[in-house]
Coordinates of all heavy atoms in Angstrom, one line a residue:
M17 N 119.0 67.7 119.4 CA 119.4 66.9 118.3 C 118.3 66.7 117.3 O 118.6 66.9 116.1 CB 119.8 65.5 118.9 CG 120.4 64.6 117.9 SD 122.0 65.2 117.3 CE 122.4 63.9 116.2
I18 N 117.1 66.5 117.7 CA 116.0 66.3 116.8 C 115.7 67.6 116.1 O 115.4 67.7 114.9 CB 114.7 65.8 117.5 CG1 115.0 64.4 118.0 CG2 113.5 65.9 116.7 CD1 113.9 63.8 118.9
K19 N 115.7 68.7 116.8 CA 115.5 70.1 116.3 C 116.5 70.4 115.2 O 116.2 71.0 114.2 CB 115.6 71.1 117.4 CG 115.1 72.5 117.0 CD 115.2 73.4 118.3 CE 114.6 74.7 117.9 NZ 114.6 75.6 119.1
K20 N 117.7 70.0 115.4 CA 118.8 70.2 114.4 C 118.5 69.5 113.1 O 118.7 70.0 112.0 CB 120.2 69.8 115.0 CG 121.3 69.9 114.0 CD 122.6 69.4 114.6 CE 123.7 69.4 113.6 NZ 124.9 68.7 114.2
E21 N 118.0 68.2 113.3 CA 117.7 67.4 112.0 C 116.6 68.0 111.3 O 116.6 68.0 110.0 CB 117.4 66.0 112.5 CG 118.6 65.2 113.1 CD 119.7 65.0 112.1 OE1 119.4 64.7 110.9 OE2 120.9 65.2 112.5
V22 N 115.5 68.5 112.0 CA 114.4 69.1 111.3 C 114.8 70.4 110.6 O 114.4 70.7 109.5 CB 113.3 69.4 112.3 CG1 112.1 70.2 111.7 CG2 112.7 68.1 112.8
I23 N 115.7 71.2 111.2 CA 116.2 72.4 110.6 C 117.0 72.1 109.4 O 116.9 72.7 108.3 CB 117.0 73.2 111.6 CG1 116.0 73.8 112.6 CG2 117.8 74.4 110.9 CD1 116.7 74.5 113.8
I24 N 117.8 71.0 109.4 CA 118.5 70.6 108.2 C 117.6 70.2 107.1 O 117.8 70.6 105.9 CB 119.5 69.4 108.6 CG1 120.7 69.9 109.5 CG2 120.1 68.8 107.3 CD1 121.5 68.8 110.0
G25 N 116.5 69.5 107.4 CA 115.5 69.2 106.4 C 114.8 70.4 105.9 O 114.5 70.4 104.7
L26 N 114.5 71.4 106.8 CA 113.9 72.6 106.2 C 114.8 73.3 105.2 O 114.4 73.8 104.2 CB 113.6 73.6 107.4 CG 112.4 73.3 108.3 CD1 112.5 74.1 109.5 CD2 111.2 73.5 107.5
L27 N 116.1 73.4 105.6 CA 117.1 74.0 104.7 C 117.3 73.3 103.4 O 117.3 73.9 102.3 CB 118.4 74.2 105.3 CG 118.5 75.2 106.5 CD1 119.9 75.1 107.2 CD2 118.2 76.6 106.0
V28 N 117.3 71.9 103.4 CA 117.4 71.1 102.2 C 116.1 71.3 101.4 O 116.2 71.5 100.1 CB 117.6 69.6 102.6 CG1 117.4 68.7 101.3 CG2 119.0 69.4 103.2
G29 N 114.9 71.4 102.0 CA 113.7 71.6 101.3 C 113.7 73.0 100.6 O 113.2 73.1 99.5
L30 N 114.2 74.0 101.3 CA 114.2 75.4 100.7 C 115.2 75.4 99.5 O 114.9 75.9 98.5 CB 114.7 76.4 101.7 CG 114.8 77.8 101.3 CD1 113.4 78.3 100.9 CD2 115.3 78.7 102.4
I31 N 116.4 74.8 99.7 CA 117.4 74.8 98.6 C 116.9 74.0 97.4 O 117.0 74.4 96.3 CB 118.7 74.2 99.1 CG1 119.4 75.2 100.1 CG2 119.6 73.9 98.0 CD1 120.5 74.6 100.9
A32 N 116.2 72.8 97.7 CA 115.6 72.1 96.6 C 114.5 72.8 95.9 O 114.5 72.8 94.6 CB 115.1 70.8 97.1
N33 N 113.7 73.6 96.6 CA 112.7 74.4 95.9 C 113.3 75.5 95.1 O 112.8 75.7 94.0 CB 111.7 74.9 97.0 CG 110.5 75.4 96.3 OD1 110.2 75.2 95.2 ND2 109.6 76.1 97.1
V34 N 114.3 76.2 95.6 CA 114.9 77.2 94.8 C 115.6 76.6 93.6 O 115.5 77.2 92.5 CB 115.9 78.0 95.7 CG1 116.8 78.9 94.8 CG2 115.2 78.7 96.8
M35 N 116.2 75.5 93.7 CA 116.8 74.9 92.5 C 115.7 74.4 91.5 O 115.9 74.6 90.3 CB 117.6 73.6 92.9 CG 119.0 74.0 93.6 SD 119.9 72.6 94.2 CE 120.0 71.6 92.8
G36 N 114.7 73.9 92.0 CA 113.5 73.5 91.1 C 112.9 74.7 90.4 O 112.5 74.6 89.3
L37 N 112.8 75.8 91.2 CA 112.2 77.1 90.6 C 113.2 77.5 89.5 O 112.8 78.0 88.4 CB 112.1 78.1 91.7 CG 111.6 79.5 91.2 CD1 110.2 79.3 90.6 CD2 111.5 80.4 92.4
Y38 N 114.5 77.4 89.7 CA 115.4 77.8 88.7 C 115.4 76.9 87.5 O 115.3 77.4 86.3 CB 116.8 77.8 89.3 CG 117.9 78.2 88.3 CD1 118.1 79.5 87.9 CD2 118.8 77.3 87.7 CE1 119.0 79.9 87.0 CE2 119.7 77.7 86.8 CZ 119.8 79.0 86.5 OH 120.8 79.4 85.5
F39 N 115.2 75.6 87.7 CA 115.1 74.7 86.5 C 113.8 74.9 85.8 O 113.8 74.9 84.5 CB 115.2 73.2 87.0 CG 116.6 72.9 87.4 CD1 116.8 72.0 88.5 CD2 117.8 73.3 86.8 CE1 118.0 71.7 89.0 CE2 119.0 73.0 87.2 CZ 119.2 72.2 88.3
A40 N 112.7 75.2 86.5 CA 111.5 75.4 85.9 C 111.5 76.7 85.1 O 111.0 76.8 84.0 CB 110.4 75.5 86.9
S41 N 112.2 77.7 85.6 CA 112.4 79.0 84.8 C 113.2 78.8 83.6 O 113.0 79.4 82.6 CB 112.9 80.1 85.7 OG 114.3 79.9 86.0
L42 N 114.2 77.9 83.6 CA 115.0 77.6 82.5 C 114.2 76.9 81.4 O 114.3 77.2 80.2 CB 116.2 76.7 82.8 CG 117.4 77.3 83.5 CD1 118.4 76.3 83.8 CD2 118.0 78.4 82.7
I43 N 113.3 76.0 81.9 CA 112.5 75.2 80.9 C 111.4 76.1 80.3 O 111.2 76.1 79.1 CB 111.8 74.0 81.6 CG1 112.9 73.0 82.0 CG2 110.8 73.3 80.7 CD1 112.5 71.9 82.9
F44 N 110.7 76.9 81.1 CA 109.6 77.7 80.6 C 109.9 79.1 80.3 O 109.0 79.9 79.9 CB 108.4 77.6 81.6 CG 107.9 76.2 81.8 CD1 108.1 75.5 83.0 CD2 107.2 75.5 80.8 CE1 107.6 74.3 83.2 CE2 106.8 74.2 80.9 CZ 107.0 73.6 82.2
G45 N 111.2 79.5 80.5 CA 111.6 80.9 80.4 C 111.9 81.3 79.0 O 112.2 82.5 78.8
E46 N 112.0 80.5 78.1 CA 112.3 80.8 76.7 C 113.6 81.6 76.5 O 113.7 82.5 75.8 CB 111.1 81.6 76.1 CG 109.8 80.9 76.1 CD 108.6 81.7 75.7 OE1 108.8 83.0 75.6 OE2 107.5 81.2 75.5
G47 N 114.6 81.1 77.2 CA 115.9 81.7 77.1 C 116.2 83.0 77.8 O 117.2 83.6 77.7
K48 N 115.2 83.5 78.6 CA 115.4 84.7 79.4 C 116.1 84.4 80.7 O 116.1 83.2 81.1 CB 114.0 85.4 79.7 CG 113.2 85.8 78.5 CD 111.9 86.3 78.8 CE 111.1 86.5 77.5 NZ 109.7 86.8 77.8
D49 N 116.7 85.4 81.3 CA 117.3 85.1 82.6 C 116.3 84.9 83.7 O 115.1 85.2 83.6 CB 118.3 86.3 82.9 CG 117.7 87.6 83.3 OD1 116.5 87.8 82.9 OD2 118.3 88.4 84.0
F50 N 116.8 84.5 84.8 CA 116.0 84.0 86.0 C 115.0 85.1 86.5 O 113.9 84.9 86.7 CB 116.9 83.4 87.0 CG 116.1 82.9 88.3 CD1 115.4 81.8 88.2 CD2 116.3 83.6 89.5 CE1 114.7 81.4 89.3 CE2 115.6 83.1 90.6 CZ 114.8 82.0 90.5
F51 N 115.6 86.3 86.7 CA 114.8 87.3 87.3 C 113.8 87.9 86.4 O 112.7 88.4 86.8 CB 115.7 88.4 87.9 CG 116.5 87.9 89.0 CD1 117.9 87.7 88.9 CD2 116.0 87.6 90.3 CE1 118.7 87.2 89.9 CE2 116.7 87.1 91.3 CZ 118.1 86.9 91.2
T52 N 114.1 87.9 85.1 CA 113.1 88.4 84.1 C 112.0 87.4 84.0 O 110.8 87.8 83.9 CB 113.8 88.4 82.7 OG1 114.9 89.3 82.8 CG2 112.8 88.9 81.7
V53 N 112.3 86.1 84.1 CA 111.2 85.1 84.1 C 110.3 85.2 85.3 O 109.1 85.2 85.2 CB 111.8 83.7 84.0 CG1 110.7 82.6 84.2 CG2 112.5 83.4 82.7
L54 N 110.9 85.5 86.5 CA 110.1 85.7 87.7 C 109.2 86.9 87.6 O 108.0 86.9 88.0 CB 111.0 85.7 89.0 CG 111.7 84.5 89.4 CD1 112.6 84.7 90.6 CD2 110.8 83.3 89.6
S55 N 109.8 88.0 87.1 CA 108.9 89.2 87.0 C 107.8 89.1 86.0 O 106.7 89.5 86.2 CB 109.8 90.4 86.7 OG 110.4 90.3 85.5
T56 N 108.1 88.4 84.9 CA 107.1 88.1 83.9 C 106.0 87.2 84.4 O 104.8 87.5 84.2 CB 107.7 87.5 82.6 OG1 108.8 88.4 82.1 CG2 106.7 87.3 81.5
A57 N 106.4 86.2 85.2 CA 105.4 85.3 85.7 C 104.6 86.0 86.8 O 103.4 85.7 86.9 CB 106.2 84.1 86.4
S58 N 105.2 86.9 87.6 CA 104.4 87.6 88.5 C 103.4 88.5 87.8 O 102.3 88.7 88.3 CB 105.4 88.4 89.4 OG 104.7 89.2 90.3
N59 N 103.9 89.2 86.8 CA 102.9 90.1 86.0 C 101.8 89.3 85.4 O 100.7 89.8 85.3 CB 103.7 90.9 85.0 CG 104.6 91.9 85.6 OD1 104.5 92.3 86.7 ND2 105.6 92.3 84.8
E60 N 102.0 88.1 85.0 CA 101.0 87.3 84.3 C 100.2 86.5 85.2 O 99.2 85.8 84.9 CB 101.7 86.4 83.3 CG 102.3 87.1 82.1 CD 103.0 86.2 81.1 OE1 102.9 84.9 81.2 OE2 103.6 86.7 80.1
G61 N 100.6 86.4 86.5 CA 99.8 85.8 87.5 C 100.1 84.3 87.6 O 99.3 83.5 88.2
I62 N 101.2 83.8 87.1 CA 101.5 82.4 87.2 C 102.7 82.1 88.0 O 103.3 81.0 88.0 CB 101.7 81.9 85.8 CG1 102.9 82.5 85.0 CG2 100.5 81.9 84.9 CD1 103.3 81.9 83.7
L63 N 103.1 83.0 88.9 CA 104.3 82.8 89.7 C 104.1 81.7 90.7 O 105.0 80.9 91.0 CB 104.7 84.1 90.5 CG 106.0 84.0 91.3 CD1 107.2 83.7 90.4 CD2 106.2 85.3 92.1
G64 N 102.8 81.6 91.2 CA 102.5 80.5 92.1 C 102.7 79.2 91.5 O 103.1 78.2 92.1
K65 N 102.3 79.0 90.3 CA 102.4 77.8 89.5 C 103.8 77.4 89.3 O 104.3 76.3 89.4 CB 101.7 77.9 88.2 CG 100.2 78.0 88.4 CD 99.4 78.2 87.0 CE 98.0 78.4 87.3 NZ 97.3 78.6 86.1
L66 N 104.7 78.4 89.0 CA 106.1 78.2 88.8 C 106.8 77.8 90.1 O 107.6 76.9 90.1 CB 106.7 79.5 88.3 CG 108.0 79.4 87.6 CD1 107.9 78.5 86.3 CD2 108.5 80.7 87.1
I67 N 106.4 78.4 91.2 CA 106.9 78.0 92.5 C 106.5 76.5 92.8 O 107.3 75.7 93.4 CB 106.5 78.9 93.6 CG1 107.2 80.3 93.4 CG2 106.8 78.4 95.0 CD1 106.6 81.4 94.3
S68 N 105.3 76.2 92.5 CA 104.8 74.9 92.8 C 105.5 73.8 92.0 O 105.8 72.7 92.4 CB 103.3 74.8 92.5 OG 102.5 75.6 93.3
L69 N 105.8 74.2 90.7 CA 106.7 73.3 89.9 C 108.1 73.1 90.5 O 108.7 72.0 90.5 CB 106.8 73.8 88.5 CG 105.6 73.5 87.6 CD1 105.9 74.3 86.2 CD2 105.5 72.1 87.3
G70 N 108.5 74.2 91.2 CA 109.9 74.1 91.8 C 109.9 73.1 93.0 O 110.9 72.6 93.3
A71 N 108.8 72.9 93.6 CA 108.6 72.1 94.8 C 108.7 70.6 94.4 O 108.8 69.8 95.4 CB 107.4 72.4 95.5
I72 N 108.8 70.3 93.2 CA 108.9 68.9 92.8 C 110.2 68.2 93.3 O 110.2 67.1 93.7 CB 108.7 68.7 91.3 CG1 107.3 69.0 90.9 CG2 109.1 67.3 90.8 CD1 107.0 69.0 89.4
L73 N 111.3 69.0 93.3 CA 112.5 68.5 93.8 C 112.5 68.2 95.3 O 113.3 67.4 95.8 CB 113.7 69.5 93.5 CG 114.1 69.6 92.1 CD1 115.3 70.6 92.0 CD2 114.5 68.3 91.5
N74 N 111.5 68.7 96.0 CA 111.3 68.4 97.4 C 110.9 66.9 97.6 O 111.3 66.3 98.5 CB 110.3 69.3 98.1 CG 110.8 70.6 98.4 OD1 112.0 70.9 98.2 ND2 110.0 71.5 98.9
L75 N 110.2 66.4 96.6 CA 109.8 65.0 96.6 C 111.1 64.1 96.6 O 111.1 63.1 97.3 CB 109.0 64.7 95.3 CG 107.5 64.6 95.5 CD1 106.8 64.7 94.1 CD2 107.1 63.5 96.3
I76 N 112.0 64.5 95.7 CA 113.2 63.7 95.6 C 114.0 63.7 96.9 O 114.4 62.6 97.5 CB 114.1 64.2 94.5 CG1 113.4 64.0 93.1 CG2 115.4 63.4 94.5 CD1 114.0 64.7 92.0
A77 N 114.1 64.9 97.5 CA 114.8 65.0 98.8 C 114.1 64.2 99.9 O 114.7 63.6 100.7 CB 115.0 66.5 99.2
F78 N 112.7 64.3 99.9 CA 112.0 63.6 100.9 C 112.2 62.1 100.9 O 112.5 61.5 101.9 CB 110.5 63.9 100.7 CG 109.6 63.3 101.7 CD1 109.4 63.6 103.0 CD2 108.8 62.2 101.2 CE1 108.6 63.0 103.8 CE2 108.0 61.5 102.1 CZ 107.8 61.9 103.4
F79 N 112.1 61.5 99.6 CA 112.2 60.1 99.5 C 113.7 59.6 99.7 O 113.9 58.5 100.2 CB 111.7 59.6 98.2 CG 110.2 59.6 98.1 CD1 109.5 60.4 97.2 CD2 109.5 58.8 99.0 CE1 108.2 60.4 97.2 CE2 108.1 58.8 98.9 CZ 107.4 59.5 98.1
V80 N 114.7 60.4 99.5 CA 116.1 60.1 99.8 C 116.2 60.0 101.3 O 116.8 59.1 101.8 CB 117.0 61.1 99.2 CG1 118.4 61.0 99.8 CG2 117.1 61.0 97.7
F81 N 115.7 61.0 102.0 CA 115.8 61.0 103.5 C 115.0 59.8 104.1 O 115.4 59.2 105.0 CB 115.3 62.3 104.1 CG 116.3 63.4 104.0 CD1 115.8 64.7 103.7 CD2 117.6 63.2 104.0 CE1 116.7 65.7 103.5 CE2 118.5 64.2 103.8 CZ 118.0 65.5 103.6
I82 N 113.8 59.4 103.5 CA 113.1 58.3 104.0 C 113.9 57.0 103.7 O 113.9 56.2 104.6 CB 111.7 58.2 103.3 CG1 110.8 59.4 103.8 CG2 111.0 56.9 103.5 CD1 110.4 59.3 105.2
K83 N 114.5 56.9 102.5 CA 115.2 55.7 102.2 C 116.5 55.5 103.2 O 116.8 54.4 103.5 CB 115.7 55.7 100.8 CG 116.4 54.5 100.3 CD 116.0 54.2 98.9 CE 116.8 53.0 98.5 NZ 116.1 51.7 98.6
K84 N 117.1 56.6 103.6 CA 118.2 56.6 104.4 C 117.8 56.5 105.9 O 118.7 56.5 106.8 CB 119.1 57.8 104.2 CG 119.8 57.9 103.0 CD 120.7 59.1 102.9 CE 121.6 59.1 101.8 NZ 122.5 60.3 101.8
K85 N 116.5 56.4 106.2 CA 116.0 56.3 107.5 C 116.3 57.6 108.4 O 116.6 57.5 109.6 CB 116.4 55.1 108.2 CG 116.1 53.8 107.5 CD 115.8 52.7 108.4 CE 115.5 51.4 107.7 NZ 114.4 51.4 106.8
Q86 N 116.3 58.7 107.7 CA 116.5 60.0 108.4 C 115.1 60.7 108.4 O 114.9 61.7 107.7 CB 117.5 60.9 107.6 CG 118.9 60.3 107.6 CD 119.9 61.0 106.8 OE1 119.5 61.8 105.9 NE2 121.2 60.8 107.1
D87 N 114.3 60.2 109.3 CA 112.9 60.6 109.4 C 112.7 62.1 109.7 O 111.8 62.7 109.3 CB 112.1 59.7 110.3 CG 112.0 58.3 109.8 OD1 112.1 58.1 108.6 OD2 111.9 57.4 110.7
Y88 N 113.6 62.6 110.6 CA 113.4 64.0 111.0 C 113.8 65.0 110.0 O 113.2 66.0 109.8 CB 114.2 64.2 112.4 CG 113.5 63.5 113.5 CD1 114.2 62.4 114.1 CD2 112.3 63.9 114.1 CE1 113.6 61.7 115.2 CE2 111.7 63.2 115.1 CZ 112.3 62.2 115.6 OH 111.8 61.5 116.7
R89 N 114.8 64.6 109.2 CA 115.1 65.4 108.0 C 114.0 65.4 107.0 O 113.6 66.4 106.4 CB 116.4 65.0 107.4 CG 117.6 65.3 108.3 CD 118.9 65.0 107.6 NE 120.0 65.3 108.5 CZ 121.3 65.2 108.1 NH1 121.6 64.9 106.9 NH2 122.3 65.5 109.0
A90 N 113.4 64.2 106.8 CA 112.3 64.1 105.9 C 111.1 64.9 106.4 O 110.4 65.5 105.7 CB 111.9 62.6 105.7
R91 N 111.0 65.0 107.7 CA 109.9 65.8 108.3 C 110.1 67.2 108.1 O 109.2 68.0 107.8 CB 109.8 65.5 109.8 CG 108.7 66.1 110.5 CD 108.7 65.9 112.0 NE 108.5 64.5 112.2 CZ 108.5 63.9 113.4 NH1 108.6 64.6 114.5 NH2 108.2 62.6 113.6
G92 N 111.4 67.7 108.1 CA 111.7 69.1 107.8 C 111.4 69.4 106.3 O 110.9 70.5 106.0
V93 N 111.7 68.5 105.4 CA 111.5 68.7 104.0 C 109.9 68.8 103.8 O 109.4 69.7 103.0 CB 112.0 67.6 103.1 CG1 111.6 67.7 101.7 CG2 113.6 67.7 103.2
L94 N 109.2 67.9 104.4 CA 107.8 68.0 104.3 C 107.2 69.2 104.9 O 106.2 69.9 104.3 CB 107.1 66.7 105.0 CG 105.6 66.6 104.9 CD1 105.2 66.4 103.5 CD2 105.2 65.4 105.8
L95 N 107.7 69.7 106.0 CA 107.3 70.9 106.6 C 107.5 72.1 105.7 O 106.7 73.0 105.5 CB 108.0 71.2 108.0 CG 107.5 72.4 108.8 CD1 106.0 72.3 109.1 CD2 108.3 72.4 110.0
M96 N 108.7 72.1 105.0 CA 109.0 73.2 104.1 C 108.1 73.2 102.9 O 107.6 74.2 102.4 CB 110.5 73.1 103.6 CG 110.9 74.2 102.6 SD 110.5 75.9 103.2 CE 111.8 76.1 104.5
T97 N 107.7 72.0 102.4 CA 106.8 71.9 101.3 C 105.4 72.4 101.7 O 104.8 73.1 100.9 CB 106.7 70.4 100.9 OG1 108.0 69.9 100.6 CG2 105.8 70.2 99.7
I98 N 105.0 72.2 102.9 CA 103.7 72.7 103.4 C 103.8 74.2 103.5 O 102.8 74.9 103.2 CB 103.4 72.0 104.7 CG1 103.0 70.6 104.5 CG2 102.2 72.8 105.4 CD1 102.8 69.8 105.8
I99 N 104.9 74.7 104.0 CA 105.1 76.2 104.1 C 105.0 76.8 102.7 O 104.4 77.9 102.5 CB 106.4 76.5 104.8 CG1 106.3 76.1 106.3 CG2 106.7 78.0 104.6 CD1 107.7 76.2 107.0
I100 N 105.6 76.2 101.7 CA 105.6 76.7 100.4 C 104.3 76.7 99.8 O 103.8 77.6 99.2 CB 106.6 76.0 99.5 CG1 108.1 76.3 99.9 CG2 106.4 76.3 98.0 CD1 109.1 75.4 99.4
A101 N 103.5 75.6 100.1 CA 102.2 75.4 99.5 C 101.2 76.5 100.2 O 100.4 77.1 99.5 CB 101.6 74.1 99.9
V102 N 101.3 76.7 101.4 CA 100.5 77.8 102.1 C 100.9 79.2 101.6 O 100.0 80.0 101.4 CB 100.6 77.6 103.6 CG1 100.0 78.8 104.3 CG2 100.0 76.3 104.1
S103 N 102.2 79.4 101.5 CA 102.6 80.7 101.1 C 102.2 81.0 99.6 O 101.8 82.1 99.2 CB 104.1 81.0 101.2 OG 104.8 80.1 100.4
T104 N 102.2 79.9 98.8 CA 101.7 80.0 97.4 C 100.2 80.4 97.4 O 99.8 81.2 96.6 CB 102.0 78.8 96.6 OG1 103.5 78.5 96.7 CG2 101.6 78.9 95.2
F105 N 99.5 79.7 98.2 CA 98.1 79.9 98.3 C 97.7 81.3 98.8 O 96.9 82.0 98.2 CB 97.5 78.9 99.3 CG 96.0 79.0 99.4 CD1 95.1 78.5 98.5 CD2 95.4 79.6 100.6 CE1 93.8 78.6 98.6 CE2 94.1 79.7 100.7 CZ 93.3 79.2 99.7
V106 N 98.5 81.8 99.8 CA 98.3 83.2 100.2 C 98.7 84.2 99.2 O 98.0 85.1 98.9 CB 99.0 83.4 101.5 CG1 99.1 84.8 101.9 CG2 98.5 82.6 102.7
F107 N 99.8 83.9 98.5 CA 100.3 84.8 97.5 C 99.3 84.9 96.3 O 99.2 86.0 95.7 CB 101.6 84.3 97.0 CG 102.3 85.2 95.9 CD1 102.8 86.4 96.3 CD2 102.4 84.8 94.6 CE1 103.4 87.2 95.3 CE2 103.0 85.6 93.7 CZ 103.5 86.8 94.0
K108 N 98.7 83.8 96.0 CA 97.7 83.9 94.9 C 96.5 84.7 95.2 O 96.0 85.4 94.2 CB 97.2 82.4 94.6 CG 96.3 82.3 93.5 CD 95.9 80.9 93.2 CE 94.9 80.9 92.1 NZ 95.3 80.3 90.9
F109 N 96.1 84.8 96.4 CA 94.9 85.6 96.7 C 95.2 87.0 97.3 O 94.2 87.7 97.7 CB 94.0 84.8 97.7 CG 93.4 83.5 97.1 CD1 93.8 82.3 97.4 CD2 92.4 83.7 96.1 CE1 93.3 81.2 96.8 CE2 91.9 82.6 95.5 CZ 92.3 81.4 95.8
I110 N 96.4 87.4 97.3 CA 96.7 88.7 97.7 C 96.9 89.7 96.5 O 97.1 89.4 95.5 CB 98.0 88.8 98.6 CG1 97.7 88.1 99.9 CG2 98.5 90.2 98.7 CD1 98.9 88.1 100.8

């Protein structure tokens, strides 16, 4: 049961990050489509920063789960945020 709640939190964190990445690409993409913005950001070396901006929506999901007293789902969102941060860090230095 606890494992299921953490997995739901992980999925919500992943979806929130992808949505945040999409919204960040809309804001900073200057009217280009999503994949063009991602490839341009990768070529310019700012993809990690764009992914980090996308993780802001994880904050909202985390606090919603805390407010609803769904601590294990909030733990999953926090774990996904940590995974994203570590992967962004690794991606930056590769």
Side-chain angles (χ1 to χ4, degrees):
M17 184 68 176
I18 293 172
K19 189 175 184 180
K20 178 183 172 186
E21 295 294 317
V22 172
I23 290 173
I24 290 172
L26 283 168
L27 290 175
V28 168
L30 180 64
I31 292 168
N33 194 8
V34 170
M35 287 176 53
L37 179 61
Y38 180 74
F39 291 141
S41 70
L42 284 178
I43 293 170
F44 298 112
E46 301 171 349
K48 299 176 187 171
D49 70 337
F50 179 66
F51 296 108
T52 304
V53 171
L54 290 182
S55 66
T56 304
S58 178
N59 291 338
E60 293 179 5
I62 60 169
L63 184 60
K65 294 176 185 178
L66 201 61
I67 292 171
S68 297
L69 280 174
I72 290 175
L73 286 183
N74 284 357
L75 262 167
I76 297 169
F78 177 76
F79 284 117
V80 165
F81 286 144
I82 290 293
K83 183 140 177 95
K84 288 183 173 183
K85 303 214 184 299
Q86 296 175 337
D87 295 334
Y88 291 107
R89 289 185 182 188
R91 187 180 294 178
V93 171
L94 182 62
L95 185 60
M96 181 54 72
T97 305
I98 291 170
I99 291 169
I100 291 166
V102 169
S103 63
T104 303
F105 181 74
V106 168
F107 182 71
K108 181 177 176 115
F109 291 110
I110 289 181

